[in-house]
């Protein structure tokens, strides 16, 4: 039996460079109350960091899937209600409830005079109706499938993950998006992730490992649909390559990972960007000219292919040492992912 558990607030650091944020100005008592009533969150005032960035220190939280300690009889209704509450697509602010309560009080006074109904009962009824109206946003058509999937995760996360991957495999194999992998790869295969909304898939990444014990993929092949802007993808690959070329700052606090990653990114972007060069990789038997960024142990390449954009990232292999081919059935990648999940489940 499983539940989603909320973690503590996020750290107050600059989201641009990772340095400690400090307040420049603080809101007064009236502004703090007004901000909470109108926006449903604390007013943080103006913050900055040693590098002069306007820092965002909005307090947030994380949610993780953990085993539930509730008794079996209470677990299903409590966790289902909790999940529906968190899956609302429209979330009211305190001002909404205050307005509803005021309207309910006025209607209650009318019904009290006219029908002798208790005015406070009418006011509470209007307030409850508004709360249920916003709660019903969790069942909107564009969110219903996601909600039901999350509810199934609570009872059987591994089984639900398998069902979702099998459904995803069917969509890709039916032509939902082109899939590319390393031709003739004999090592373990994995799904590396995908992006999209509902039934539309905008990118798909396939991972190729040299052995089951590898912590880092040897080659990752990702295909982006033509909806993605090429220059934006080009710039993101350059930034990621520069960041990955920097060592991760040391820290003794596991929850400080976000800060460390921002510090790493900031330090990388202060360096001069490496130049893009040209390399040839065979794709479906045809040599294709890729733009490439390379260092001694890794490289990343990108090129327009098949009406979209093909990105190849490798750690170890040289650009001309392998070929890329269309994958007609991603079943082996799905099975490899499920096998890795099952092995991890047995370990924990």
């Amino acid at each position: 039996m499983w539940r989603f558990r909320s973690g503590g607030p996020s750290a107050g650091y600059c989201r641009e460079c990772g340095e400690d944020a400090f307040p420049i100005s603080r809101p007064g008592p009236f502004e703090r109350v007004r901000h909470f009533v109108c926006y449903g969150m604390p007013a943080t005032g103006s913050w900055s960091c040693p590098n002069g960035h306007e820092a965002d220190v909005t307090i947030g939280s994380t949610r993780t899937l953990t085993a539930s300690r509730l008794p079996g009889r209470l677990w299903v209704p409590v966790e289902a209600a909790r999940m529906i509450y968190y899956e609302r697509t429209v979330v009211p602010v305190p001002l909404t409830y205050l307005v509803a309560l005021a309207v309910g009080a006025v209607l209650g006074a009318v019904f009290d005079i006219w029908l002798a109904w208790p005015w406070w009962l009418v006011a509470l009824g209007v307030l409850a109706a508004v709360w249920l109206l916003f709660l019903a946003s969790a069942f909107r058509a564009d969110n219903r499938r996601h909600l039901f999937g999350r509810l199934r995760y609570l009872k059987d996360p591994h089984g639900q993950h398998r069902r979702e991957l099998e459904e995803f495999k069917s969509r890709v194999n039916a032509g939902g998006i082109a899939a590319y992998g390393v031709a003739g790869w004999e090592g373990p295969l994995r799904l590396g992730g995908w992006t999209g909304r509902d039934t539309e898939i905008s990118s798909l990444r396939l991972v190729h490992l040299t052995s089951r014990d590898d912590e880092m993929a040897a080659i990752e092949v990702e295909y982006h649909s033509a909806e993605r802007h090429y220059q934006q993808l080009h710039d993101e690959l350059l930034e990621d390559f520069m960041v990955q070329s920097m060592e991760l700052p040391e820290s003794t606090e596991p929850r400080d990972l976000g800060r460390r990653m921002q510090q790493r990114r900031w330090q990388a972007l202060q360096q001069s960007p490496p130049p893009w060069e040209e390399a040839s990789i065979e794709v479906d038997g045809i040599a294709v000219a890729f733009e490439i960024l390379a260092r001694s142990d890794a490289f990343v390449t990108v090129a327009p292919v098949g009406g979209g954009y093909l990105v190849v990232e490798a750690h170890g292999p040289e650009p001309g040492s392998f070929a890329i081919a269309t994958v007609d059935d991603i079943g082996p990648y799905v099975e490899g992912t499920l096998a890795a999940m099952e092995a991890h489940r047995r370990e924990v």
Side-chain angles (χ1 to χ4, degrees):
M1 296 181 293
W2 300 81
R3 59 165 292 187
F4 280 93
R5 181 179 182 182
S6 296
S10 59
Y13 60 87
C14 177
R15 299 305 191 269
E16 185 67 23
C17 63
E19 296 293 337
D20 288 333
F22 54 84
I24 300 176
S25 63
R26 294 182 182 274
F30 176 78
E31 175 60 23
R32 290 199 297 269
V33 173
R34 187 197 69 82
H35 194 277
F36 176 77
V37 171
C38 295
Y39 301 103
M41 62 182 65
T44 58
S46 299
W47 292 66
S48 186
C49 73
N51 291 315
H53 301 121
E54 183 177 348
D56 175 16
V57 295
T58 301
I59 296 177
S61 62
T62 58
R63 297 177 65 211
T64 55
L65 189 65
T66 60
S68 175
R69 297 182 179 180
L70 289 174
R73 292 182 179 180
L74 295 177
W75 173 79
V76 174
V78 170
E79 293 301 331
R82 193 197 308 271
M83 181 54 60
I84 293 171
Y85 177 80
Y86 281 117
E87 289 297 329
R88 294 175 300 170
T89 58
V90 183
V91 181
V93 297
L95 181 61
T96 305
Y97 292 124
L98 292 177
V99 172
L101 190 60
V103 171
V106 173
L107 290 177
V110 173
F111 280 101
D112 193 359
I113 297 173
W114 185 24
L115 300 174
W117 289 4
W119 69 270
W120 57 269
L121 189 60
V122 176
L124 290 179
V126 172
L127 188 63
V130 170
W131 185 82
L132 290 173
L133 179 64
F134 282 99
L135 185 67
S137 66
F139 296 93
R140 287 173 49 176
D142 57 350
N143 191 61
R144 197 176 301 138
R145 177 174 170 271
H146 174 74
L147 171 62
F148 292 159
R150 304 311 293 177
L151 289 173
R152 286 192 290 266
Y153 259 116
L154 296 176
K155 185 66 176 177
D156 182 17
H158 305 291
Q160 177 61 15
H161 204 160
R162 172 178 287 276
R163 286 189 292 269
E164 289 184 351
L165 288 181
E166 291 293 341
E167 179 185 347
F168 178 75
K169 178 183 71 174
S170 300
R171 289 162 55 195
V172 173
N173 291 346
I177 191 173
Y180 289 88
V182 179
W185 188 262
E186 297 181 354
L189 304 173
R190 304 277 193 278
L191 288 176
W194 60 91
T195 60
R197 295 189 51 153
D198 298 328
T199 59
E200 296 182 2
I201 307 171
S202 56
S203 72
L204 171 63
R205 177 183 291 251
L206 300 181
V207 175
H208 307 77
L209 305 171
T210 54
S211 72
R212 297 185 183 277
D213 297 328
D214 284 339
E215 295 184 359
M216 181 176 295
I219 303 175
E220 299 181 61
V221 183
E222 184 171 20
Y223 182 77
H224 293 263
S225 67
E227 296 178 0
R228 184 68 183 275
H229 194 278
Y230 184 73
Q231 188 59 47
Q232 180 185 13
L233 176 62
H234 197 271
D235 294 342
E236 289 179 3
L237 291 173
L238 174 59
E239 179 177 317
D240 289 344
F241 184 82
M242 294 176 66
V243 171
Q244 294 299 325
S245 299
M246 299 286 294
E247 292 185 4
L248 186 66
E250 295 183 0
S251 175
T252 58
E253 296 292 334
R255 295 184 61 183
D256 206 25
L257 179 60
R259 179 197 300 269
R260 289 187 290 156
M261 296 302 293
Q262 289 304 122
Q263 290 174 342
R264 183 191 194 190
R265 173 183 174 274
W266 173 252
Q267 293 171 6
L269 295 182
Q270 305 313 301
Q271 310 296 322
S272 299
W276 288 89
E277 300 179 354
E278 185 174 301
S280 178
I281 299 179
E282 189 176 289
V283 180
D284 288 334
I286 301 175
V288 175
F290 281 76
E291 292 185 88
I292 181 172
L293 292 170
R295 58 177 183 263
S296 60
D297 61 336
F299 71 84
V300 59
T301 64
V302 58
V305 172
Y309 310 116
L310 192 62
V311 176
V312 181
E313 298 184 41
H315 294 82
E318 297 293 330
S321 63
F322 58 89
I324 303 299
T326 301
V327 176
D328 297 321
D329 178 14
I330 66 168
Y333 294 88
V334 171
E335 291 303 320
T337 302
L338 291 171
M341 290 171 50
E342 181 62 24
H344 176 71
R345 187 175 70 87
R346 288 196 299 266
E347 290 177 358
V348 299

